[in-house]
């Protein structure tokens, strides 16, 4: 097997995959494990016997120098132990992934043999004549099926060949393609990792290396050439960054990925497969960095990172799209950008911006990521493959009461987030393999205000064709005509019992600000509605669900009432993405994402 860079193409064939001797990889892993254990034993001898013996039996100035050298030797052995342990784990993990794909491949080959189909070197499958013609009753001609790039993510067109063998051959070809593609991705990913796990000449292990895993990455960066960091085009456009990456040699890419995974992984315009690989490495470094801290904020972020890591390592269930980590960081309230489906290979890509109180915590890692996964699954029922992204690329406003305070009334965070979101979408457009990808921006709650702000940047949101708002307290724009895509491409869902979509404007009542500060949106809604029932303005401007705004309102569930179970609840605000609770809402957003907006269920504006 051979590594590859840039995520483009693969020299791996199904026959090469079939013939990979995973036992040899595991034997190599065992060998690195033995070296690791011997280094650990050597360190134990130095620290447990030689150093104590030296201090007990020797005196003088030379003892201090000898002790220093022994300690350095012990640290070097510890470094060998750690690095060889990583090699062992990487090789075993590679063998595990390759064996899994070999099983998929062998199952497909066995089925082909049983059916007397021919699997060619390129993975295509030839099937014989079968069935009966409607006119002459003779067997229908055979043919050849080729595997699709993302098998399992393409819905049949309905033009099914009448030969009953055609569908069986297509299934076999898709399984072969899936196994080869997945194995090739693993090959490239692990080849890069293995190449990075090597010591430079004149090995030195600074003490900081052992504080945590992040310090080890810092040591590698220290040894790298300074031009690497300086050459990363941070100030360039996403399209220019993509061009820069494509122009690098394979060796240069590997060096950048080994030394600066955090910067390459979070650089808009870099291919998704590359960002994913870099961020998976950076995720490990971040977890190691936060594990060495004992403050509440670090513990909260660490819990989220561990949950994301768990999900990345899990095998997707049938029908679930693969998971790509497009961004990760611990700055501010935390950063995480996760795509379900490859946003470069998918014709349809939607990016969802969550709302108030979103931060890098377990609730985000479980709930907000699930929203994108569920929407991706729903969107992939229609037409071409679709990817859906959860985007936490800025510090969303936080409120201590969990409902909303005057912090939300200010639009500064939305302006900052809008700029960052616009650049991210520009990167999605630049790295997508399709000439004209269909892009959708989705804003929920305060996220709709952020998306609204992005539309007001020069040129609007790059590449975006559709804009969707759900649970919106206003988007900072008074008309769908002002969003840069045409009012027929702006959509809004507002549940009847979602009080956040009815929070009154600041001018509606003299005490509106006080209500938002002390009672949250529920109190502001109750008192504001009593003050002026006819006003169609909400907190951030015109109500997007109103007739005056001009968006296309789609049907969603009503959600539970504000007071329906003997207590105050705003659960109606958080159910738009849940297919078990509000299937209609999810299906409508899926149709928009998939470019089938003409099929949505409409609802009259307010």
């Amino acid at each position: 097997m051979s590594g590859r860079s840039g995520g483009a193409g693969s020299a791996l064939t199904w026959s090469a995959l079939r013939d990979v001797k995973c036992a040899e990889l595991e034997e190599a892993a065992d060998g690195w494990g033995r070296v690791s254990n011997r280094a650990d034993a050597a360190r134990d001898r130095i620290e447990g016997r030689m150093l104590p013996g030296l201090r007990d039996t020797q005196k003088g100035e030379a003892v201090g120098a000898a002790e220093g050298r022994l300690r350095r030797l012990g640290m070097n052995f510890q470094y060998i132990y750690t690095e060889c342990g990583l090699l062992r784990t990487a090789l075993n993990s590679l063998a595990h992934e390759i064996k899994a794909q070999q099983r998929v491949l062998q199952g497909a080959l066995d089925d082909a043999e049983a059916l007397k189909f021919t699997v060619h070197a390129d993975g295509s499958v030839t099937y014989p004549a079968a069935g009966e013609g409607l006119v002459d009753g003779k067997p229908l001609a055979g043919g050849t099926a080729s595997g699709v790039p993302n098998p399992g993510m393409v819905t049949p067109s309905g033009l099914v060949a009448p030969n009953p063998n055609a569908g069986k051959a297509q299934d076999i070809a898709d399984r072969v393609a899936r196994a080869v593609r997945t194995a090739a991705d693993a090959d490239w990913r692990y080849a890069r990792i293995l190449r990075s796990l090597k010591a430079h000449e004149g090995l030195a292990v600074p003490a900081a290396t052992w504080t945590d895993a992040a310090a080890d990455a810092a040591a590698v960066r220290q040894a790298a050439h300074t031009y690497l960091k300086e050459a990363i085009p941070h100030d360039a456009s996403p399209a220019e960054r993509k061009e820069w990456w494509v122009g690098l040699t394979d060796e240069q890419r590997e060096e950048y990925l080994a030394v600066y995974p955090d910067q390459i992984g979070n650089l808009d315009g870099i291919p998704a497969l590359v960002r994913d690989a870099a961020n998976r490495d950076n995720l490990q470094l971040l977890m190691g960095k936060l594990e060495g801290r004992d403050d509440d904020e670090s513990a909260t972020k660490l819990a989220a990172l561990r949950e994301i890591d768990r999900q990345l390592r899990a095998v997707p269930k049938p029908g679930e799209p693969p998971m790509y980590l497009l961004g990760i960081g611990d700055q501010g309230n935390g950063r995480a950008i996760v795509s379900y489906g490859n946003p470069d290979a998918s014709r349809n890509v939607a990016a969802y911006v969550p709302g108030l109180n979103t931060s890098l915590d377990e609730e985000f890692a479980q709930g907000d990521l699930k929203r994108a996964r569920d929407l991706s699954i729903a969107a992939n029922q229609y037409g071409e493959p679709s990817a859906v992204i959860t985007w936490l690329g800025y510090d969303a406003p936080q409120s201590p009461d969990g409902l909303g305070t005057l912090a939300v009334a200010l639009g500064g965070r939305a302006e900052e987030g809008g700029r960052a979101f616009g650049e991210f979408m520009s990167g999605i457009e630049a790295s997508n393999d399709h000439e004209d990808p269909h892009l959708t921006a989705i804003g929920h709650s305060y996220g709709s205000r952020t998306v609204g702000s992005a539309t007001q940047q020069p040129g609007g949101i790059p590449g975006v064709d559709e804009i969707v708002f759900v649970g919106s307290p206003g988007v900072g724009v008074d008309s769908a005509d002002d969003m840069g895509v045409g009012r027929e491409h702006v959509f809004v869902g507002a549940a009847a019992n979602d009080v956040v979509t009815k929070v009154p404007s600041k001018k509606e009542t003299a005490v509106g600000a006080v209500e938002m500060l002390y009672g949250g949106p529920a109190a502001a809604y109750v008192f504001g509605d009593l003050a002026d029932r006819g006003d169609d303005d909400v907190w951030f401007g015109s109500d997007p669900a109103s007739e005056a705004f001009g968006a296309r309102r789609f049907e969603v569930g009503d959600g539970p009432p504000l007071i329906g179970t003997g207590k105050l609840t705003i659960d109606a605000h958080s159910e738009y993405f849940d297919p078990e609770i509000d299937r209609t809402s999810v299906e409508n957003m899926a149709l928009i994402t998939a470019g089938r907006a003409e099929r949505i269920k409409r609802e009259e504006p307010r």
Side-chain angles (χ1 to χ4, degrees):
M1 301 182 73
S2 61
R4 57 192 175 87
S5 294
S10 168
L12 184 65
T13 63
W14 68 261
S15 58
L17 171 59
R18 178 196 59 192
D19 296 335
V20 172
K21 295 178 173 59
C22 289
E24 294 183 358
L25 288 172
E26 293 170 332
E27 288 173 5
D30 291 341
W32 287 111
R34 287 191 291 271
V35 174
S36 179
N37 291 336
R38 289 171 185 167
D40 192 36
R43 179 185 60 82
D44 283 342
R45 283 197 299 273
I46 291 172
E47 296 180 358
R49 292 189 306 187
M50 296 180 68
L51 281 172
L54 182 66
R55 287 192 296 267
D56 292 343
T57 61
Q58 304 296 320
K59 304 292 182 182
E61 292 182 4
V63 174
E67 183 175 347
R69 292 191 178 188
L70 281 174
R71 288 191 180 280
R72 180 175 179 179
L73 181 60
M75 290 178 67
N76 286 348
F77 276 125
Q78 177 67 15
Y79 181 75
I80 294 170
Y81 162 76
T82 300
E83 294 297 292
C84 290
L86 291 172
L87 279 165
R88 174 186 55 198
T89 301
L91 287 168
N92 277 328
S93 296
L94 174 59
H96 175 78
E97 291 194 29
I98 295 300
K99 284 195 292 186
Q101 298 314 311
Q102 284 179 326
R103 289 193 293 269
V104 173
L105 172 65
Q106 193 58 54
L109 296 176
D110 290 345
D111 288 347
E113 182 178 6
L115 293 166
K116 301 189 183 305
F117 293 175
T118 300
V119 181
H120 300 285
D122 63 355
S124 61
V125 179
T126 297
Y127 55 91
E132 295 182 356
L134 295 176
V135 178
D136 55 10
K138 294 180 180 180
L140 298 165
T144 300
S146 297
V148 298
N150 288 293
M153 297 294 289
V154 176
T155 302
S157 66
L159 302 176
V160 181
N163 186 328
N165 284 331
K168 299 174 184 177
Q170 186 65 60
D171 174 66
I172 292 171
D174 286 352
R175 286 151 62 194
V176 170
R178 180 188 300 111
V180 171
R181 182 182 179 88
T182 305
D185 285 350
D187 176 35
W188 175 75
R189 186 169 68 252
Y190 283 104
R192 180 189 51 75
I193 292 172
L194 291 170
R195 289 192 188 100
S196 73
L197 294 175
K198 59 184 179 182
H200 297 270
E201 289 186 32
L203 174 64
V205 184
T209 301
W210 309 115
T211 57
D212 48 43
D216 186 43
V220 175
R221 293 185 186 194
Q222 237 177 8
H225 299 296
T226 57
Y227 77 86
L228 286 176
K229 182 177 181 181
E230 294 171 355
I232 297 175
H234 292 289
D235 296 331
S237 70
E240 291 169 335
R241 293 168 184 164
K242 178 185 178 181
E243 185 178 355
W244 167 78
W245 181 260
V246 170
L248 297 175
T249 65
D250 288 350
E251 292 74 18
Q252 287 173 321
R253 293 174 186 166
E254 290 166 2
E255 195 169 11
Y256 275 113
L257 287 167
V259 180
Y260 297 107
D262 58 330
Q263 296 185 41
I264 299 301
N266 289 283
L267 200 61
D268 296 323
I270 300 298
L273 185 61
V274 176
R275 292 182 70 165
D276 177 65
N279 284 317
R280 287 176 188 247
D281 284 354
N282 191 35
L283 176 62
Q284 304 303 315
L285 299 177
L286 286 172
M287 288 192 294
K289 172 184 174 181
L290 296 177
E291 281 171 353
R293 301 176 178 177
D294 58 3
D295 59 286
D296 291 342
E297 180 182 335
S298 295
T300 296
K301 292 176 180 176
L302 179 58
L305 295 177
R306 285 173 172 166
E307 173 59 21
I308 292 172
D309 183 56
R310 183 195 68 77
Q311 293 182 35
L312 286 167
R313 294 176 182 275
V315 177
K317 298 177 182 177
E320 285 189 353
M323 184 176 176
Y324 295 83
L325 189 59
L326 303 182
I328 198 71
D330 65 341
Q331 63 268 43
N333 294 328
R335 304 285 188 270
I337 305 172
V338 178
S339 179
Y340 291 90
N342 187 334
D344 289 353
S346 299
R347 170 72 173 80
N348 304 304
V349 183
Y352 147 63
V353 182
L356 174 69
N357 288 323
T358 305
S359 62
L360 188 59
D361 55 20
E362 273 193 291
E363 182 179 352
F364 168 84
Q366 293 172 350
D368 286 289
L369 297 193
K370 181 179 183 297
R371 290 176 174 182
R373 183 174 66 246
D374 288 342
L375 185 54
S376 177
I377 292 171
N380 275 291
Q381 298 176 90
Y382 310 105
E384 298 173 282
S386 299
V388 180
I389 301 164
T390 293
W391 184 83
L392 179 59
Y394 79 117
D395 284 336
Q398 307 291 302
S399 65
D401 62 10
L403 291 175
T405 68
L406 281 179
V408 196
L410 306 176
R413 294 288 179 88
E415 302 299 328
E416 170 194 338
R419 288 189 291 271
F421 182 67
E423 179 159 311
F424 172 75
M425 294 305 290
S426 179
I428 291 296
E429 181 187 32
S431 63
N432 192 278
D433 297 336
H434 297 267
E435 185 175 348
D436 184 24
H438 177 253
L439 307 184
T440 302
I442 303 174
H444 173 243
S445 190
Y446 188 86
S448 67
R449 175 68 179 87
T450 301
V451 172
S453 176
T455 68
Q456 302 307 294
Q457 301 300 315
I461 309 179
V464 165
D465 303 285
E466 324 286 352
I467 296 175
V468 179
F469 302 123
V470 286
S472 177
V475 301
V477 177
D478 290 331
S479 172
D481 292 324
D482 299 330
M483 312 211 78
V485 294
R487 65 165 51 200
E488 68 276 11
H489 296 286
V490 180
F491 304 85
V492 61
N497 292 319
D498 183 355
V499 299
V500 174
T501 70
K502 302 174 183 179
V503 172
S505 65
K506 294 179 283 294
K507 65 182 181 181
E508 186 170 325
T509 170
V511 295
V514 177
E515 291 154 6
M516 281 295 289
L517 178 62
Y518 293 107
Y525 161 65
V526 171
F527 289 106
D529 194 47
L530 291 174
D532 186 349
R533 297 180 184 274
D535 195 335
D536 65 358
D537 283 347
V538 286
W539 194 258
F540 290 115
S542 294
D543 179 3
S546 70
E547 185 174 6
F549 189 82
R552 297 168 68 183
R553 187 180 181 190
F554 58 86
E555 185 178 327
V556 300
D558 289 344
L562 182 64
I563 304 175
T565 58
K567 63 178 181 180
L568 198 67
T569 175
I570 60 168
D571 287 350
H573 183 58
S574 59
E575 297 179 350
Y576 296 98
F577 295 87
D578 192 325
E580 294 183 2
I581 298 176
D582 194 347
R583 187 71 191 179
T584 300
S585 175
V586 173
E587 288 293 342
N588 280 328
M589 286 191 285
L591 285 165
I592 297 167
T593 296
R596 303 294 183 87
E598 73 279 359
R599 294 172 54 183
I600 64 171
K601 295 180 180 178
R602 299 287 298 271
E603 186 169 354
E604 290 298 319
R606 290 173 176 164

